Amino acid sequence: MKRKVTKAIFPVAGMGTRFLPATKSVPKEIMTLVDRPLIQYAIDEAREAGIKEFIFVTSRGKGALEDYFDVSPQLEQSLRKKGKMDLLAQLKATNMDSGAIAYIRQHDALGLGHAVWCARRLVANEPFAVILPDDVIAAEKPCLQQMVEAYEETGGCMVAAMEVPQEKASAYGLLDVKEDMGSIVSVKDMVEKPEPEDAPSNLAVIGRYILTPQIMRNLNRKKEGAGGEIQLTDAIAEELKAGRDVFGLRFRGQRFDCGSKAGFLQATVAFGLARPELREELSEYLEELLHMKKVAQ
Ligand code: G1P
């Protein structure tokens, strides 16, 4: 019988150098899309997919993340006094039950595989999800929930997958497809950030995974991969070599690469336009900008 997926790992130890100087004092995951930090989108998605235990793999300087998920009695009291019940409700949505959230420190930046491995004792012998908060996915049904539903049918390991432009494929983990069943593909092999001439396809791994506990044992070997780092992709590929199943799910939804400035700005505009209270003002402004650009040309 397949075990239910109730634990998720959030690798948040990265230094966020692409967003310096902002990330000098603010963890990247606290940067906001409209009015919610990136990490809130990841947590909400996990909750909706039935996750009950949230494991953060952090590093020095990420204290703001821990505070964010803590209660804030003073602020709550002041909002209650002023009768600002809607704000109070929004604030409460960020509180986590005691014991639902755990923080593990990754002491060396040895790669995504190593970050996930740091959580091995908390995961123990259960399947688990991994969410990379940089990949923000706007979807009617949250991406991880789509994956949990597909995993209930397939078992094995599952990664979120999406076709990316050929010229960008080398920035991703890529799938070599065994059988394409439409939204689900079964995987023959996977490679992390190959040279363009070695890319098996342009079907890329996006930052959502459902993994078997065997992955932690594969990561125990601490094998270095692309960029000299311990890669999660390699640990999943080992499952294929051992004859076990790995699937990719072409999820329904729009993915934003919030690890890049352009992606972050696009997400800001898209999430802003999706907010009824902002839509009109923002779209008027965008139209104005486009008009000015046309006139200038
Ligand atoms: C990580 C993974 C890669 C995946 C990507 C998705 O890479 O290692 O396989 O395709 O996330 O965003 P990163 O972007 O952290 O270098």
Side-chain angles (χ1 to χ4, degrees):
M1 203 188 78
K2 280 182 246 40
R3 302 273 298 265
K4 254 184 133 43
V5 186
T6 59
K7 297 180 178 179
I9 300 175
F10 300 82
V12 290
M15 288 194 290
T17 46
R18 278 199 266 180
F19 284 93
L20 279 170
T23 45
K24 190 176 161 199
S25 65
V26 181
K28 181 176 62 175
E29 299 77 18
I30 290 290
M31 296 197 338
T32 55
L33 282 180
V34 189
D35 51 12
R36 289 142 44 103
L38 276 189
I39 193 67
Q40 182 75 53
Y41 291 88
I43 290 281
D44 288 348
E45 184 179 331
R47 268 193 182 137
E48 285 184 64
I51 299 297
K52 306 278 183 250
E53 287 179 54
F54 304 80
I55 305 165
F56 284 59
V57 181
T58 69
S59 60
R60 184 173 291 270
K62 298 279 178 163
L65 262 176
E66 295 192 25
D67 290 344
Y68 178 78
F69 288 111
D70 205 348
V71 287
S72 42
Q74 249 184 341
L75 184 56
E76 284 180 24
Q77 204 185 2
S78 128
L79 291 174
R80 199 171 296 117
K81 251 196 195 153
K82 291 182 188 147
K84 300 200 163 162
M85 299 323 251
D86 49 336
L87 286 181
L88 188 64
Q90 281 185 35
L91 196 65
K92 289 214 155 176
T94 64
N95 295 350
M96 301 289 269
D97 292 340
S98 293
I101 195 160
Y103 301 93
I104 299 266
R105 281 214 179 182
Q106 183 189 23
H107 292 141
D108 300 301
L110 298 178
L112 177 60
H114 180 261
V116 168
W117 176 81
C118 290
R120 66 199 176 282
R121 293 203 177 86
L122 291 177
V123 159
N125 207 24
E126 286 181 41
F128 59 97
V130 177
I131 296 190
L132 309 187
D134 271 2
D135 282 330
V136 174
I137 301 173
E140 224 163 89
K141 183 185 282 184
C143 178
L144 191 64
Q145 196 182 339
Q146 295 177 37
M147 290 174 72
V148 165
E149 286 172 13
Y151 164 82
E152 276 162 11
E153 304 288 317
T154 61
C157 285
M158 177 162 289
V159 300
M162 182 182 109
E163 261 87 17
V164 295
Q166 205 74 51
E167 67 278 10
K168 292 199 173 151
S170 286
Y172 294 88
L174 297 176
L175 302 182
D176 192 354
V177 173
K178 180 161 72 186
E179 195 186 346
D180 198 329
M181 296 165 277
S183 61
I184 297 182
V185 301
S186 81
V187 177
K188 182 160 67 184
D189 197 5
M190 49 201 290
V191 275
E192 180 70 15
K193 303 190 177 80
E195 294 297 325
E197 60 274 21
D198 298 328
S201 73
N202 66 335
L203 188 56
V205 176
I206 299 303
R208 304 286 184 278
Y209 307 76
I210 296 177
L211 302 174
T212 58
Q214 178 63 37
I215 295 299
M216 292 295 189
R217 292 191 275 276
N218 298 351
L219 287 169
N220 268 334
R221 287 181 214 126
K222 304 222 182 97
K223 232 173 65 199
E224 270 183 28
E229 296 190 337
I230 300 170
Q231 297 292 354
L232 186 57
T233 300
D234 295 343
I236 304 171
E238 276 184 44
E239 289 300 277
L240 293 161
K241 289 194 193 83
R244 289 184 283 266
D245 288 334
V246 175
F247 299 93
L249 178 74
R250 287 194 184 94
F251 56 92
R252 291 175 305 282
Q254 195 183 1
R255 174 253 184 180
F256 297 93
D257 174 11
C258 289
S260 80
K261 288 176 203 171
F264 202 100
L265 288 170
Q266 285 160 16
T268 300
V269 173
F271 281 82
L273 288 173
R275 287 288 189 86
E277 75 276 21
L278 297 174
R279 187 177 301 138
E280 207 180 301
E281 203 176 329
L282 185 56
S283 54
E284 268 173 25
Y285 172 68
L286 291 173
E287 272 166 32
E288 212 177 284
L289 269 188
L290 288 177
H291 177 72
M292 272 167 22
K293 201 174 143 196
K294 269 197 206 133
V295 171
Q297 279 166 357

